[in-house]
Amino acid sequence: MSDDPFHGHSLEAAIVIEALMAWDDPPLRCATCGAELVGVDPDEEPDGDAGLPICGECNRARNFDVLAEDR
């Protein structure tokens, strides 16, 4: 038996299996403030610049600080 849970399944079934396997994963939280990333803010970065998640608020604040320093 294969250890691959997608082996022998159609693409649609594989997508459902993958979603079910990730169903109980803990939510991503911002590495800066701890807020949960919910996926509705376009400025959220699940991978972030340093590989750590960052929420939209912290990302905008960080970008604003960089712009303010450049002046």
Side-chain angles (χ1 to χ4, degrees):
M1 177 171 229
S2 174
D3 289 335
D4 182 6
F6 307 121
H7 180 73
H9 294 284
S10 68
L11 178 60
E12 292 81 13
I15 292 170
V16 170
I17 291 169
E18 184 175 7
L20 290 173
M21 289 174 69
W23 178 73
D24 63 345
D25 287 347
L28 284 178
R29 297 208 171 268
C30 178
T32 304
C33 72
E36 184 176 337
L37 276 66
V38 292
V40 295
D41 190 332
D43 290 329
E44 286 181 356
E45 292 185 14
D47 296 329
D49 291 338
L52 299 172
I54 185 168
C55 71
E57 288 293 321
C58 289
N59 197 9
R60 283 186 289 278
R62 179 189 64 185
N63 292 340
F64 180 78
D65 291 343
V66 169
L67 289 174
E69 288 175 6
D70 288 342
R71 290 182 178 194

